[in-house]
Amino acid sequence: MAAPLLPWLLGPEYAPAAEILALLAFLPAVQWLRNLGNAYLMLRGQSQKLSLVYAAAAAAGVLLALLLVPPYGVDGAVWAMYGGEGMAIITQGILSWIPGRKA
């Protein structure tokens, strides 16, 4: 919603940032889901698994950035961010099914 206001608020040189801001609009919702997964693992006494979650997310983010940024630029970087968050959520789901120690 705020993306079209960027050039008006900050000047016309910020007009290209409006598209990027629009692409990033759903990232907080995805991060919220990841945080719920973090809380679920901690609630189950499996906070040690969070290291694996973040390692997988970081690896996916870096790999996707290497693959997507050269051909797609900033759009590729945005999608790499979503991919890293998605990998964190997927890893949390997998690790939550693996038995761990109880709190």
Side-chain angles (χ1 to χ4, degrees):
M1 286 175 53
L5 298 176
L6 274 182
W8 180 74
L9 290 172
L10 302 174
E13 62 272 13
Y14 285 91
E19 179 185 340
I20 298 164
L21 185 61
L23 290 173
L24 291 170
F26 293 105
L27 190 60
V30 176
Q31 291 172 327
W32 181 76
L33 288 173
R34 182 207 2 105
N35 286 333
L36 280 178
N38 290 350
Y40 180 74
L41 286 173
M42 288 187 280
L43 181 67
R44 293 185 59 193
Q46 298 178 355
S47 60
Q48 74 279 4
K49 293 180 180 180
L50 291 176
S51 296
L52 293 172
V53 169
Y54 282 103
V62 168
L63 180 63
L64 288 169
L66 289 172
L67 293 172
L68 297 175
V69 171
Y72 301 108
V74 175
D75 289 348
V78 169
W79 289 111
M81 290 177 63
Y82 278 107
E85 292 292 336
M87 178 57 80
I89 293 167
I90 290 167
T91 305
Q92 289 168 342
I94 293 169
L95 292 177
S96 70
W97 286 94
I98 298 172
R101 72 181 173 113
K102 298 287 183 183

